[in-house]
Amino acid sequence: MSDNHVSARALDTLLGQWRGGASAYLALSDRIRLLTLDGRIPTDSRLPAERDLSLRLGVSRTTVTAAYRQLRDAGYLRSVRGSGSVVRLPGATVAASAGTADDILDFSKATMPALPGLADAAAHAVAELPRHLGDAGFDPVGIPELRAAIADRYTVRGLPTAPEQIMVTLGAQHAIALLARVLIGRGDRVLIETPTYPHAAEALRAAGGRLVAVNVSAGGPDEDPAARGWDETTLLQTLQRSSPVVGYLMPDFHNPTGQSMPAEQRARVAAAAADSCTTLVIDETIAELAIDREGEFPPFAACTDARSAPRVVSVGSVGKTVWGGIRIGWIRTEPALIHKLVAARCANDLGTPILEQLIVTRLLAEMPSVLDGRRELLRVGRDHLERRLADTFPDWQVPHVDGGITTWVNLGAPVSSQLALAARSYGLLVPAGPRFGIDGAFERFLRLPFSHSVDDTNRAVDALDAAWGSLLRHPFVDTGYLAEVV
């Protein structure tokens, strides 16, 4: 069993604005259930004692006791002698069956279906595999032909790169976690965007980083366009005053807001990072999924000068462009750092599968046509999702994005967690806005991907419509939150 203990203070932060109508214990149990399903409370974690939580939340102990009892009856808690109340997932929950049951639609992942022709590329890779079978098969840095293909791709995009600057990893998440372990010491400050990609935040925290957040705004129809994107003043001041060891940024089609950082701003951020000795880890997994973005957007590292360049580390993968099941990513950086990464990697894994590397080597040669097809799929999906949301939820603020995979919808009221929980009852898995914060914020927002088929998007919007209506009838939700937008 895990020794992870969720303190009353930590749970209070995660709960956010949980209080609803008259039945506080049901509102509390519902929110803890959502946090468990979302993964924000890991399974096998011990919840705080009833007395401690009641004091922290300012409610009666009877309320907490009733909430815990409700969770036990539903299979989300179990009592363990000497350990208190331990979080679990019941065997027959919606979340446990997600991705396998035909009636469950999973919008929790911003991904596309597998690339057409992927099976053919795999067959060609199998034919090439025999020439590698004489080796041990443990490859911690990447086969030469794939490293050369990745380097060529960067060069074509405007960033001259040599194969010696590339390390192949088990996807982008593996790359981020490996970089975090090598670059971050316990207690080091780490700059991160908010909202952000939640698994990146988890990796940075796991390495011991203390996260310092900088806001990224998707804007809205009534907001000054100049206020959208990164809060540059705060970003530069954070680099100057906090001197974070690492900064994690997603400057192209930021997940979840869909925003892109202008080239001039990238140069200023890179220069400020160099002055503060901050290594920027630039997540470019979605960078080439432009739909109708205007202007030139080369890789972030191409916007730096010679002084700043060594402080910029790029991360990429084929998880968003080809298929999430092909676990190939990479790191572009200075050879000296690659040597450190290879040495550190062996403590956790012994290399990247050769067969998958051969598949990606072949596909990178066809990447221009691959991207054309993916961009058209995303164009259709984006336009259809925007139309459906405008027709169904005219009061929601849906920013128009010019690329990427997701849109960051402003619901107009702090009910994202309640809506996400209600949507599960209608067969839709969708992450609540706080999943993308580092402090329980963003209850007014919902991340929606537009990478699904038209039919699936219709099902998702219909489910959200039903869930939204149920919030008005739910006796445990403060409908005063909704009065302004319904």
Side-chain angles (χ1 to χ4, degrees), residues 184-192 201 204-213 238 242-246 438:
I184 299 171
R186 188 154 301 279
D188 285 343
R189 293 187 182 90
V190 177
L191 182 146
I192 193 169
L204 298 170
R205 277 199 177 109
R210 289 188 295 151
L211 305 188
V212 182
T238 299
S242 298
S243 296
V245 170
V246 166
I438 63 173

Side-chain angles (χ1 to χ4, degrees), residues 65-382:
T65 300
Y68 279 15
R69 183 187 307 117
Q70 181 80 7
L71 291 165
R72 288 190 188 94
D73 291 344
Y76 288 88
L77 280 186
R78 68 181 184 276
S79 297
V80 178
R81 185 182 298 272
S83 297
S85 299
V86 178
V87 173
R88 56 169 292 190
L89 284 175
T93 63
V94 169
S97 60
T100 58
D102 293 337
D103 58 342
I104 298 298
L105 185 59
D106 190 355
F107 266 48
S108 67
K109 301 176 182 66
T111 59
M112 284 189 283
L115 181 73
L118 179 57
D120 291 337
H124 284 287
V126 169
E128 297 176 8
L129 184 60
R131 62 188 174 88
H132 292 270
L133 296 180
D135 299 327
F138 298 107
D139 182 19
V141 67
I143 60 176
E145 53 263 53
L146 178 55
R147 297 174 74 195
I150 295 169
D152 288 345
R153 185 71 197 150
Y154 275 111
T155 300
V156 167
R157 293 175 56 208
L159 178 61
T161 302
E164 293 74 22
Q165 294 176 270
I166 302 296
M167 176 183 182
V168 180
T169 64
L170 297 165
Q173 180 62 29
H174 175 240
I176 294 167
L178 180 59
L179 285 162
R181 291 201 308 271
V182 170
L183 297 175
I184 299 171
R186 188 154 301 279
D188 285 343
R189 293 187 182 90
V190 177
L191 182 146
I192 193 169
E193 301 150 327
T194 183
T196 191
Y197 173 53
H199 296 309
E202 291 163 2
L204 298 170
R205 277 199 177 109
R210 289 188 295 151
L211 305 188
V212 182
V214 173
N215 187 58
V216 181
S217 173
D222 301 323
E223 185 175 1
D224 181 359
R228 299 174 189 172
W230 285 255
D231 181 350
E232 182 175 344
T233 299
T234 301
L235 176 53
L236 297 182
Q237 287 179 349
T238 299
L239 288 169
Q240 179 182 12
R241 297 173 182 176
S242 298
S243 296
V245 170
V246 166
Y248 170 80
L249 302 175
M250 185 178 285
D252 293 281
F253 312 121
H254 170 262
N255 181 9
T257 68
Q259 297 296 298
S260 291
M261 184 182 289
E264 299 82 2
Q265 189 176 54
R266 299 179 192 217
R268 291 191 293 269
V269 171
D275 289 339
S276 64
C277 296
T278 300
T279 298
L280 295 179
V281 175
I282 305 299
D283 188 338
E284 296 180 326
T285 53
I286 312 178
E288 294 193 86
L289 292 178
I291 299 175
D292 43 26
R293 182 172 64 177
E294 298 181 355
E296 295 294 326
F297 287 83
F300 187 101
C303 300
T304 64
D305 56 26
R307 179 177 62 89
S308 305
R311 289 286 177 180
V312 177
V313 179
S314 304
V315 170
S317 83
V318 296
K320 302 297 186 183
T321 54
V322 174
W323 185 43
I326 299 294
R327 304 307 304 147
I328 296 292
W330 54 83
I331 297 168
R332 180 200 180 275
T333 186
E334 297 298 305
L337 179 54
I338 287 181
H339 294 323
K340 294 180 182 178
L341 294 168
V342 171
R345 177 177 187 172
C346 295
N348 291 83
D349 71 277
L350 297 177
T352 309
I354 302 299
L355 184 58
E356 293 188 34
Q357 293 192 64
L358 293 172
I359 294 172
V360 175
T361 300
R362 182 177 183 85
L363 290 174
L364 283 178
E366 305 168 2
M367 192 52 67
S369 62
V370 167
L371 291 173
D372 286 343
R374 297 315 229 177
R375 289 164 178 160
E376 184 55 32
L377 183 152
L378 291 170
R379 182 192 306 277
V380 172
R382 178 199 63 183

Side-chain angles (χ1 to χ4, degrees), residues 2 32 100 171 201 242 247 410 420 446-447:
S2 170
I32 293 175
T100 58
S242 298
N410 189 332
L446 194 68
R447 189 196 75 171

